[in-house]
Coordinates of all heavy atoms in Angstrom, one line a residue:
G1219 N 0.8 -1.2 0.0 CA 0.0 0.0 0.0 C 0.8 1.3 0.0 O 0.2 2.4 0.1
V1220 N 2.1 1.2 -0.2 CA 3.0 2.4 -0.3 C 2.8 3.0 -1.6 O 2.8 2.3 -2.7 CB 4.4 2.1 0.0 CG1 5.3 3.3 -0.2 CG2 4.6 1.4 1.3
S1221 N 2.5 4.3 -1.7 CA 2.4 5.1 -3.0 C 3.9 5.4 -3.4 O 4.7 5.9 -2.7 CB 1.7 6.4 -2.8 OG 0.3 6.1 -2.4
I1222 N 4.1 5.0 -4.7 CA 5.5 5.2 -5.2 C 5.4 5.9 -6.5 O 4.7 5.6 -7.5 CB 6.2 3.8 -5.5 CG1 6.2 3.0 -4.1 CG2 7.6 3.9 -6.0 CD1 6.6 1.6 -4.3
Q1223 N 6.2 7.0 -6.6 CA 6.3 7.8 -7.8 C 7.7 7.8 -8.3 O 8.6 8.2 -7.5 CB 5.8 9.3 -7.5 CG 4.4 9.4 -7.1 CD 4.0 10.8 -6.7 OE1 4.8 11.7 -6.4 NE2 2.7 11.1 -6.7
L1224 N 7.9 7.4 -9.5 CA 9.3 7.3 -10.1 C 9.4 8.1 -11.3 O 8.6 8.1 -12.2 CB 9.6 5.8 -10.4 CG 9.4 4.8 -9.3 CD1 9.6 3.4 -9.9 CD2 10.3 5.0 -8.1
I1225 N 10.5 8.9 -11.4 CA 10.9 9.6 -12.6 C 12.2 9.0 -13.1 O 13.2 9.1 -12.4 CB 11.1 11.1 -12.4 CG1 9.8 11.7 -11.8 CG2 11.4 11.8 -13.7 CD1 9.9 13.2 -11.4
V1226 N 12.1 8.2 -14.1 CA 13.3 7.4 -14.6 C 13.5 7.7 -16.1 O 12.6 7.5 -16.9 CB 13.0 5.9 -14.4 CG1 14.2 5.1 -14.8 CG2 12.6 5.5 -13.0
R1227 N 14.7 8.2 -16.4 CA 15.0 8.7 -17.7 C 15.3 7.5 -18.7 O 14.8 7.5 -19.8 CB 16.2 9.6 -17.7 CG 16.5 10.3 -19.0 CD 17.9 10.9 -19.1 NE 18.9 9.9 -19.3 CZ 20.1 9.9 -18.7 NH1 20.4 10.8 -17.8 NH2 21.0 8.9 -18.9
G1228 N 16.1 6.5 -18.2 CA 16.6 5.6 -19.2 C 16.1 4.1 -18.9 O 15.0 3.8 -19.0
M1229 N 17.1 3.3 -18.5 CA 16.8 1.8 -18.3 C 15.7 1.7 -17.2 O 15.8 2.3 -16.1 CB 18.0 1.1 -17.8 CG 19.0 0.8 -18.9 SD 20.4 -0.1 -18.3 CE 21.5 -0.2 -19.7
L1230 N 14.7 0.9 -17.4 CA 13.7 0.6 -16.4 C 13.2 -0.8 -16.5 O 12.5 -1.2 -17.4 CB 12.5 1.5 -16.6 CG 11.3 1.3 -15.7 CD1 11.7 1.7 -14.2 CD2 10.1 2.1 -16.1
S1231 N 13.7 -1.7 -15.6 CA 13.3 -3.1 -15.6 C 12.0 -3.3 -14.8 O 11.4 -4.3 -14.9 CB 14.5 -3.9 -15.0 OG 15.6 -3.9 -15.9
L1232 N 11.7 -2.3 -14.0 CA 10.4 -2.4 -13.2 C 9.2 -2.2 -14.1 O 9.2 -1.4 -15.0 CB 10.4 -1.3 -12.1 CG 9.2 -1.2 -11.2 CD1 9.7 -0.7 -9.8 CD2 8.2 -0.2 -11.7
I1233 N 8.2 -3.0 -13.9 CA 6.9 -2.9 -14.7 C 5.9 -2.3 -13.8 O 5.3 -2.9 -12.9 CB 6.5 -4.3 -15.2 CG1 7.6 -4.9 -16.1 CG2 5.2 -4.2 -16.0 CD1 7.3 -6.4 -16.5
P1234 N 5.5 -1.0 -14.0 CA 4.6 -0.3 -13.2 C 3.1 -0.6 -13.6 O 2.8 -0.9 -14.7 CB 4.9 1.2 -13.4 CG 5.5 1.2 -14.8 CD 6.1 -0.1 -15.0
G1235 N 2.2 -0.4 -12.6 CA 0.8 -0.4 -12.9 C 0.2 -1.8 -13.2 O -0.9 -1.9 -13.7
R1236 N 0.9 -2.8 -12.7 CA 0.3 -4.2 -12.9 C -0.4 -4.6 -11.6 O 0.2 -4.5 -10.6 CB 1.4 -5.2 -13.3 CG 0.9 -6.6 -13.6 CD 2.0 -7.4 -14.3 NE 2.2 -6.9 -15.7 CZ 3.0 -7.5 -16.6 NH1 3.6 -8.6 -16.3 NH2 3.1 -7.0 -17.8
K1237 N -1.6 -5.1 -11.8 CA -2.4 -5.5 -10.6 C -1.7 -6.6 -9.8 O -1.1 -7.5 -10.3 CB -3.8 -6.0 -11.1 CG -4.7 -4.9 -11.6 CD -6.1 -5.4 -11.8 CE -7.0 -4.2 -12.2 NZ -8.4 -4.7 -12.4
K1238 N -1.9 -6.4 -8.5 CA -1.3 -7.3 -7.5 C 0.2 -7.4 -7.5 O 0.8 -8.2 -6.8 CB -1.9 -8.7 -7.7 CG -3.4 -8.8 -7.5 CD -3.9 -10.3 -7.6 CE -5.4 -10.3 -7.4 NZ -5.9 -11.7 -7.5
M1239 N 0.8 -6.5 -8.3 CA 2.3 -6.5 -8.3 C 2.8 -5.1 -8.1 O 3.7 -4.9 -7.3 CB 2.9 -7.1 -9.6 CG 4.4 -7.3 -9.6 SD 5.0 -8.0 -11.1 CE 5.0 -6.6 -12.2
S1240 N 2.3 -4.2 -8.9 CA 2.9 -2.8 -8.9 C 1.8 -1.8 -9.2 O 2.1 -0.7 -9.7 CB 4.0 -2.7 -10.0 OG 3.5 -3.1 -11.2
E1241 N 0.6 -2.0 -8.7 CA -0.5 -1.1 -9.1 C -0.4 0.2 -8.3 O -1.0 1.2 -8.7 CB -1.9 -1.7 -8.8 CG -2.1 -2.3 -7.4 CD -3.4 -3.1 -7.3 OE1 -4.4 -2.7 -7.8 OE2 -3.3 -4.2 -6.8
N1242 N 0.4 0.3 -7.3 CA 0.6 1.6 -6.6 C 1.9 2.3 -7.0 O 2.4 3.2 -6.4 CB 0.7 1.3 -5.1 CG -0.7 1.0 -4.5 OD1 -1.7 1.6 -4.8 ND2 -0.7 -0.1 -3.7
I1243 N 2.5 1.8 -8.1 CA 3.7 2.4 -8.6 C 3.4 3.2 -9.9 O 2.8 2.6 -10.9 CB 4.8 1.4 -8.9 CG1 5.2 0.6 -7.6 CG2 6.1 2.1 -9.5 CD1 6.2 -0.5 -7.8
E1244 N 3.7 4.4 -10.0 CA 3.6 5.3 -11.2 C 4.9 5.7 -11.7 O 5.8 6.0 -10.9 CB 2.7 6.5 -10.9 CG 1.3 6.2 -10.4 CD 0.6 7.5 -10.1 OE1 0.7 8.0 -8.9 OE2 0.0 8.1 -11.0
V1245 N 5.1 5.7 -13.0 CA 6.4 6.0 -13.6 C 6.2 7.0 -14.7 O 5.3 6.8 -15.6 CB 7.1 4.8 -14.1 CG1 8.5 5.2 -14.7 CG2 7.4 3.8 -13.0

């Protein structure tokens, strides 16, 4: 339930916005 905001210019191995995995992560 932690809200996570990421500003990433280049390489990004994280997949944001996927249900039950990263739905609280915005990039």
Side-chain angles (χ1 to χ4, degrees):
V1220 178
S1221 296
I1222 302 171
Q1223 297 174 341
L1224 307 176
I1225 303 174
V1226 183
R1227 188 196 76 218
M1229 288 181 185
L1230 178 66
S1231 292
L1232 180 147
I1233 302 174
R1236 183 164 290 183
K1237 285 188 177 182
K1238 297 184 180 180
M1239 185 179 80
S1240 57
E1241 55 192 311
N1242 289 314
I1243 302 178
E1244 297 178 272
V1245 180

